Amino acid sequence: MSRSAKQLTGLFQDIYQSRNVLVTGHTGFKGSWLSLWLSRLGAQVTGLALPPSTEPSHWDLLQLDMQTTHGDIRDLAIVEAVLEAAQPEIVFHLAAQPLVRPSYANPLETWSTNVMGTANVLDACRRAPSVRAVVAVTTDKCYRNQEQLWGYRESDPLGGHDPYSASKAGSEMVVESYRKSFFSTEASALLASARAGNVIGGGDWSIDRLIPDAARAVFTNTALEIRSPLATRPWQHVLDCLAGYLQLGQRLLQGESSFANAWNFGPGPEGNCCVESVLTKMQQHWMDLQWCQTDVTQPHEATLLQLDCTRANQLLEWKPVWDLNESIAQTAQWYRAYLESRHVDSLNQLNEFIEYARTLNRSWTGKDSPETLENASPTP
């Protein structure tokens, strides 16, 4: 990251400025983008995660100047040591085994990471005097999927067919149990969970995710093989869901106990789109992209999944900034810039996102406050 990049001000009432923050899973896709944003907000960020699992990795490309520890959240001693050293006031817990298909290949690792790993983080947090707020990130796949036409609300039953989805439902149950048992007194930290839909954006290189697989196919001049072209998901840009996490964290740090709950963060109705439509939209910005449907038998995956985000829209005053078309355009632009010239466009896209959010008068932007932005991008 360019050391000359200036701090972003006026956002989230400047609550993260100079504040100690711990991000678990900072080497992952969402975790690296969150670490970038927190660093630009002036937070003192510490990361705990396994080393990046892909090459390249967004985390490595960003080259952020922050304290990091490579460790497994299933090791309680490591989690406790990092909390003791970092003294965070807020913890964003993103570390997880985040993929459906690998959960079939290694279900025990998925269960232990997503359930016991979450329990370790929360147990360490409840005994850490510095911690005032925890945002535990799970997924929209934590719901018991009935293939229904309407979106799932936070009060709907949890469940899951595959080990990943079921383990994320288990993670949510751990969060609820800890909230009721240990985070419910006047003196305790506030604990919330965040459930996002399918997140896209530059820098994701995970296997078995649509956009990274598409980028690899273009890079190798092959056709992308897709499993379920008509499968529908709620697609949104990574910065939109992160804005929700940061806004939720802000309210917890301000001591508003009514926000210590579960929250959906998903797109508007136009963001509920099938796989084939997403690829068609992306092809408009990346003509080299081609795809075909595989005829190989696949493990079970849900074909229809939507979120109802009324709670976040009305109570948290959170709404998406980029619609699906702009999210896909920004994502295609990021990958094209990297694959064609090794340019990392993350900071520039963050700046564009914030500037556009201001024009929409999003509540977290501090509309009446001056903002300092530098149109500079991270250097690989």
Side-chain angles (χ1 to χ4, degrees), residues 20-24 46 48 69 76-92 120-131 133-134:
N20 291 342
V21 180
L22 173 64
V23 177
T24 73
T46 297
L48 169 62
T69 296
L76 179 60
I78 290 177
V79 177
E80 291 175 330
V82 170
L83 279 165
E84 174 64 27
Q87 294 291 301
E89 290 185 65
I90 183 169
V91 176
F92 289 94
N120 281 342
V121 171
L122 297 185
D123 204 66
C125 285
R126 76 180 176 93
R127 291 179 282 106
S130 67
V131 176
V134 182

Side-chain angles (χ1 to χ4, degrees), residues 200-354:
I200 63 175
D204 189 3
W205 299 101
S206 302
I207 303 297
D208 281 328
R209 280 186 183 158
L210 181 64
I211 302 302
D213 286 348
R216 278 185 288 268
V218 172
F219 187 68
T220 57
N221 197 29
T222 58
L224 169 67
E225 291 189 354
I226 58 175
R227 302 185 293 272
S228 303
L230 299 182
T232 298
R233 297 289 185 271
W235 306 88
Q236 64 183 324
H237 195 273
V238 61
L239 291 173
D240 265 315
C241 74
L242 294 183
Y245 301 168
L246 290 167
Q247 197 168 358
L248 178 57
Q250 172 195 335
R251 304 302 284 267
L252 298 180
L253 284 171
Q254 290 171 335
E256 300 183 53
S257 59
S258 62
F259 290 89
N261 215 315
W263 299 84
N264 287 340
F265 295 103
E270 84 290 338
N272 295 313
C273 189
C274 72
V275 168
E276 189 171 41
S277 293
V278 169
L279 291 175
T280 299
K281 292 176 182 291
M282 193 164 188
Q283 191 181 49
Q284 295 172 7
H285 305 281
W286 209 354
M287 296 300 296
D288 293 336
L289 175 61
Q290 302 295 328
W291 67 89
C292 62
Q293 183 176 357
T294 180
D295 56 2
V296 177
T297 301
Q298 304 294 326
H300 173 272
E301 291 186 73
T303 58
L304 179 61
L305 180 57
Q306 302 182 70
L307 289 177
D308 183 326
C309 301
T310 302
R311 175 183 287 179
N313 296 160
Q314 295 186 357
L315 302 182
L316 196 58
E317 297 184 34
W318 170 89
K319 292 182 180 179
V321 173
W322 281 341
D323 63 16
L324 181 58
N325 289 333
E326 184 64 22
S327 297
I328 290 174
Q330 292 282 346
T331 300
Q333 176 183 318
W334 194 101
Y335 282 106
R336 287 185 61 184
Y338 181 75
L339 294 176
E340 293 171 5
S341 62
R342 293 300 185 265
H343 176 69
V344 181
D345 204 31
S346 304
L347 182 55
N348 184 56
Q349 290 196 348
L350 174 59
N351 292 343
E352 290 183 18
F353 179 83
I354 293 169

Side-chain angles (χ1 to χ4, degrees), residues 84-126:
E84 174 64 27
Q87 294 291 301
E89 290 185 65
I90 183 169
V91 176
F92 289 94
H93 172 47
L94 282 75
Q97 194 298 95
L99 300 168
V100 172
R101 285 162 62 83
S103 77
Y104 282 106
N106 202 334
L108 293 182
E109 180 181 2
T110 300
W111 277 99
S112 60
T113 299
N114 294 347
V115 176
M116 287 309 301
T118 296
N120 281 342
V121 171
L122 297 185
D123 204 66
C125 285
R126 76 180 176 93

Side-chain angles (χ1 to χ4, degrees), residues 121-199:
V121 171
L122 297 185
D123 204 66
C125 285
R126 76 180 176 93
R127 291 179 282 106
S130 67
V131 176
R132 295 174 50 199
V134 182
V135 176
V137 175
T138 61
T139 176
D140 60 348
K141 296 172 184 63
C142 67
Y143 292 106
R144 186 186 303 163
N145 196 317
Q146 306 294 325
E147 305 284 345
Q148 64 191 32
L149 297 177
W150 53 92
Y152 292 95
R153 295 183 176 182
E154 291 87 346
S155 58
D156 283 337
L158 304 176
H161 182 286
D162 57 89
Y164 167 72
S165 302
S167 70
K168 282 298 192 176
S171 178
E172 282 282 353
M173 295 179 69
V174 169
V175 171
E176 184 179 13
S177 171
Y178 267 79
R179 183 190 297 116
K180 291 179 177 178
S181 300
F182 307 113
F183 291 87
S184 59
T185 68
E186 190 170 326
S188 64
L190 296 178
L191 170 61
S193 64
R195 306 164 180 175
N198 278 37
V199 173

